[in-house]
Amino acid sequence: MKIGIISLGCCKNLVDTENLIGLLQQSKQEITYNLNEAEAIIVNTCGFIDPAKEEGINTILEMAEYKQKKCRKLIVMGCLSERYYDQLVDELPEVDRFITLKQYNQLGTILSEELNEKIANDYGKCPQVLTGKPWMAYLKIADGCSNRCSYCAIPLIRGAYRSFDIDELVEQAKGLALRGVKELNLIAQDTTRYGLDNYGERRLLELLKRINEIDALHWIRVLYMYPDEIDNELIEGMAKLDKVLPYFDIPVQHGSNRMLLAMNRRGTSESTIQLVDKIKETFELPVLRTTMIVGFPTETLEDVEINHEFMKRVQWDRLGGFTYSKEEDTPSYELEDNITQEEKERRYEEMMKLQESLVQMKNESLIGKTLEVLVEKQDGLTGFYRGRSVFSAPDGIDGEVIFKSEEPIEFGTFVSVTITRIKAHDFYGTRSIK
């Protein structure tokens, strides 16, 4: 059967999709990117915040139109199915089957019933089929979350934090490396918590040490690190691993301790500053990335100013901003959303303008430095190459290194580039040949 796959949401959801494709291909099904030819379409949805939910519904309705062509089955899975199953079943009769996250261990059986095809029932054990660039992969080391931030629905959707077996993860990493992966990105809702639930202790550093021994890998990047779980042992241990990038993705959400308490976040702005200082002392050129929420209930102009001062003190290299939105069934849903959307947007713009000025000054210090760059594409018109340095995760929001080279470069290889100018998050330079 020709099956079309649509994947929405975060990179953790993308790994689920890649495992699904592996399951279908192992079962001799054909994956098609031409939805006009698809006999079945499967949509993997996100249900985290309102824009993601809206995107999911709109995509489902758009895919339903293909049932007027060759498509006989429309199946929806993922976070939206888990969170709103009964409501979706009632309101979207166009969909033949909604599959919840809790049913993934029966995914093969369910798909066999719906597609009238024999689908193996070993989801998660078949090879992960990479849907992006062949030299980069995500390795999901855990699922769920136990942090219970007051604004977040992920524990409601994905359940409690569950670390995956360390030996199996190492084998997965080896398998990806054998298939040509050079950059491996470790992901979870909280990577720093890895091992605490099933081994009784944090074992992220041990996992990194074992993956670092895989010869074919060149870069190892860790994403989603909870600030109060990054201790000196982890920082100093990472510094000794030659393939682990000094890229610290630390979502702190706010710089005001009052706001952190209201958000049910652990730690304080002072402890985060101490953490950042330790990272800067340990690494010559660390990358600090974070996310911030503005407009959380009861946030005052004083909290806003405290957050701005916090940003100035830390000097984040990358910062993603969000305006607060109420999510049903979360603790903060019961709080009065006392800040208008217009004011939230104003605070967001103010924060991002400040960040832009801070990062511009910081990035200018990189002019003249030589960075290792993973080459990923070339502009057909200008001939300039584009790639990513340690400063850029593969999600597209961290900017690129844009450079010229007198010699042709194969995509997926690493080269040295000397930075000559900066424009926002994009670095411009020239290839350096030793």
Side-chain angles (χ1 to χ4, degrees), residues 113-293:
E113 295 171 357
E114 291 298 325
L115 303 178
N116 197 27
E117 297 275 343
K118 186 170 179 56
I119 308 297
N121 201 33
D122 54 358
Y123 170 80
K125 295 182 180 180
C126 46
Q128 177 182 341
V129 174
L130 303 181
T131 56
K133 299 176 177 67
W135 50 81
M136 187 282 297
Y138 293 104
L139 180 68
K140 186 157 72 167
I141 67 173
D143 208 346
C145 187
S146 297
N147 286 325
R148 300 287 175 179
C149 303
S150 66
Y151 52 82
C152 184
I154 289 173
L156 305 172
I157 301 170
R158 289 274 178 176
Y161 192 90
R162 304 178 303 284
S163 301
F164 300 147
D165 182 82
I166 193 167
D167 294 326
E168 292 181 4
L169 290 173
V170 173
E171 288 305 310
Q172 286 179 44
K174 289 178 180 177
L176 290 167
L178 285 172
R179 289 154 55 194
V181 169
K182 299 177 182 179
E183 178 190 8
L184 192 64
N185 298 275
L186 274 57
I187 58 172
Q189 292 303 142
D190 177 359
T191 50
T192 38
R193 193 184 184 94
Y194 175 76
L196 198 58
D197 55 310
N198 56 349
Y199 297 114
E201 60 181 357
R202 297 188 185 94
R203 297 183 70 175
L204 175 61
L205 183 56
E206 179 186 343
L207 177 61
L208 288 172
K209 288 177 179 177
R210 293 179 63 179
I211 294 176
N212 194 74
E213 295 173 356
I214 300 173
D215 290 338
L217 293 178
H218 191 80
W219 277 357
I220 301 168
R221 192 188 305 265
V222 185
L223 302 175
Y224 308 104
M225 306 175 79
Y226 210 90
D228 74 319
E229 292 170 341
I230 307 173
D231 57 20
N232 289 349
E233 182 183 9
L234 178 60
I235 294 170
E236 293 167 4
M238 288 174 63
K240 296 174 183 176
L241 302 176
D242 61 320
K243 297 174 184 177
V244 176
L245 299 177
Y247 184 97
F248 290 86
D249 176 26
I250 311 170
V252 298
Q253 312 306 358
H254 214 286
S256 164
N257 290 336
R258 194 181 73 83
M259 284 290 94
L260 292 175
L261 189 62
M263 294 176 179
N264 197 33
R265 299 281 298 182
R266 300 190 305 274
T268 63
S269 61
E270 291 81 10
S271 62
T272 298
I273 288 170
Q274 291 175 358
L275 167 64
V276 167
D277 287 346
K278 173 64 177 179
I279 291 171
K280 290 178 179 179
E281 290 169 6
T282 308
F283 296 92
E284 180 182 356
L285 195 64
V287 181
L288 301 167
R289 182 188 189 188
T290 195
T291 55
M292 296 279 195
I293 298 173

Side-chain angles (χ1 to χ4, degrees), residues 378-393:
Q378 184 179 22
D379 289 336
L381 187 62
T382 66
F384 278 59
Y385 287 92
R386 291 174 176 263
R388 290 182 293 109
S389 69
V390 61
F391 283 84
S392 300

